[in-house]
Amino acid sequence: MQKKKDKIIIGNWKMNPLTIKEAEKSFEDIKKSVSYVRKTTIVICPPLLYLEKLKKISRKINLGAQDAFWGDVGAFTGEVSAEMLYNAGIKYVILGHSERRTLGETNELVNKKIKGSLSAGLTPVLCVGESMRDENHSYFNLVKTQLEECLNGVKKTFASKIIIAYEPIWAISSTLNRHDATSVDSREMAIFIRKVLYDKFGAEASRIRIIYGGSVNEKDALDFLNNGGVDGLLSGRASLNAKKFAEIINIAENNF
Ligand code: 13P
């Protein structure tokens, strides 16, 4: 397996913070702490409303959206299309996040959004992951189905553009009674995901980045990056704290 050396660190701010002023402050603070970063790709996915303002603050920090509609333009009240995001200078989009799946998003819908985002020129970050683990290991099948259905019909030529984020729901900070996942959990799933991608895309699969998300913090980031079989991290809560997020980026920059 061909492994990419440089890491990607993505912050998913979810529906935070409450004001644009706070968002700007946090973004500025992160910007100041990462001025030395050369290799690591940094992405922040704030609420949609803040993108335009934050875009002007830093070139080094890439911006991403937390969702994108599949159609390009037209009568879809409340939606924002991948095409619009691309035209506004946004490069990444998180799709199929478990918190959106809880609100009713299906693999079929995520599939349409993945295709729409790829043809618009965005890099989709496809989230997959099980809500719990069972003794029969059926969670592998669930992740396989998520991958197959969400990537159904995606052409090989687009494969290298896609990022897969493994986010075990039971480890995410917002999950009630959550518990920590280990780098071993991450590694075995990353190997499995890579195998599913190989079956679908052949050798091109080696160019797809697989990242881990689920309560990653500045204390375990190195372990996940070293031993979790992944090319980067998707951080939620820790990315809201400029100091912690900058530390995670620092770890990725200085150790790989
Ligand atoms: P936490 O890092 O807060 O667990 O969130 C993970 C996540 O959902 C990122 O998309």
Side-chain angles (χ1 to χ4, degrees), residues 45-87:
C45 303
L48 208 52
L49 191 62
Y50 303 157
L51 283 170
E52 200 58 34
K53 259 260 165 91
L54 299 184
K55 201 175 76 183
K56 300 191 176 79
I57 298 177
S58 167
R59 284 216 193 144
K60 179 167 286 173
I61 305 174
N62 298 282
L63 285 168
Q66 299 171 16
D67 188 29
F69 191 64
W70 48 267
D72 49 4
V73 69
F76 297 101
T77 303
E79 299 291 353
V80 172
S81 73
E83 195 87 22
M84 287 172 177
L85 290 166
Y86 181 82
N87 290 339

Side-chain angles (χ1 to χ4, degrees), residues 12 14 97 99 167 171-174 213-216 234-238:
N12 175 9
K14 307 190 179 182
H97 193 279
E99 288 153 14
E167 295 210 320
I172 292 179
S173 66
S174 55
S215 293
V216 175
L234 175 53
S235 155
R237 188 168 288 181

Side-chain angles (χ1 to χ4, degrees), residues 151-169:
L151 296 174
N152 183 30
V154 171
K155 296 203 179 76
K156 230 184 227 188
T157 45
F158 278 128
S160 63
K161 282 283 284 175
I162 302 165
I163 297 174
I164 307 292
Y166 172 52
E167 295 210 320
I169 299 170

Side-chain angles (χ1 to χ4, degrees), residues 25-251:
K25 165 90 173 70
S26 221
F27 202 85
E28 291 276 8
D29 288 347
I30 294 166
K31 181 191 163 186
K32 276 182 221 144
S33 318
V34 299
S35 56
Y36 67 94
V37 171
R38 294 285 171 269
K39 304 174 293 176
T40 308
T41 304
I42 308 167
V43 184
I44 291 181
C45 303
L48 208 52
L49 191 62
Y50 303 157
L51 283 170
E52 200 58 34
K53 259 260 165 91
L54 299 184
K55 201 175 76 183
K56 300 191 176 79
I57 298 177
S58 167
R59 284 216 193 144
K60 179 167 286 173
I61 305 174
N62 298 282
L63 285 168
Q66 299 171 16
D67 188 29
F69 191 64
W70 48 267
D72 49 4
V73 69
F76 297 101
T77 303
E79 299 291 353
V80 172
S81 73
E83 195 87 22
M84 287 172 177
L85 290 166
Y86 181 82
N87 290 339
I90 306 309
K91 293 191 178 154
Y92 293 80
V93 59
I94 296 172
L95 291 173
H97 193 279
S98 57
E99 288 153 14
R100 293 204 59 79
R101 291 179 189 266
T102 306
L103 297 173
E105 190 144 300
T106 60
N107 287 338
E108 195 186 6
L109 187 54
V110 176
N111 177 244
K112 284 171 112 173
K113 292 180 174 186
I114 294 267
K115 287 178 182 161
S117 297
L118 284 168
S119 58
L122 296 179
T123 296
V125 181
L126 168 61
C127 297
V128 296
E130 74 284 2
S131 57
M132 58 179 193
R133 292 202 158 189
D134 59 313
E135 281 173 9
N136 300 327
H137 299 98
S138 61
Y139 53 91
F140 282 112
N141 279 337
L142 183 132
V143 170
K144 183 170 187 240
T145 303
Q146 286 179 333
L147 288 167
E148 285 174 349
E149 293 186 359
C150 293
L151 296 174
N152 183 30
V154 171
K155 296 203 179 76
K156 230 184 227 188
T157 45
F158 278 128
S160 63
K161 282 283 284 175
I162 302 165
I163 297 174
I164 307 292
Y166 172 52
E167 295 210 320
I169 299 170
W170 48 270
I172 292 179
S173 66
S174 55
T175 301
L176 205 66
N177 300 324
R178 64 160 299 281
H179 58 280
D180 283 338
T182 65
S183 54
V184 175
D185 297 325
S186 166
R187 186 176 195 87
E188 64 172 13
M189 189 56 87
I191 291 168
F192 179 75
I193 290 172
R194 185 77 66 194
K195 160 87 173 71
V196 175
L197 296 173
Y198 258 103
D199 290 346
K200 180 167 179 57
F201 294 118
E204 273 300 293
S206 66
R207 303 179 65 194
I208 300 178
R209 280 173 293 183
I210 300 173
I211 64 176
Y212 172 78
S215 293
V216 175
N217 58 51
E218 71 289 2
K219 295 190 185 84
D220 59 18
L222 183 60
D223 182 29
F224 276 107
L225 289 173
N226 257 335
N227 308 311
V230 290
D231 310 298
L233 302 169
L234 175 53
S235 155
R237 188 168 288 181
S239 73
L240 290 168
N241 180 314
K243 193 164 169 281
K244 287 186 181 178
F245 192 56
E247 269 184 60
I248 294 172
I249 295 164
N250 194 353
I251 288 164

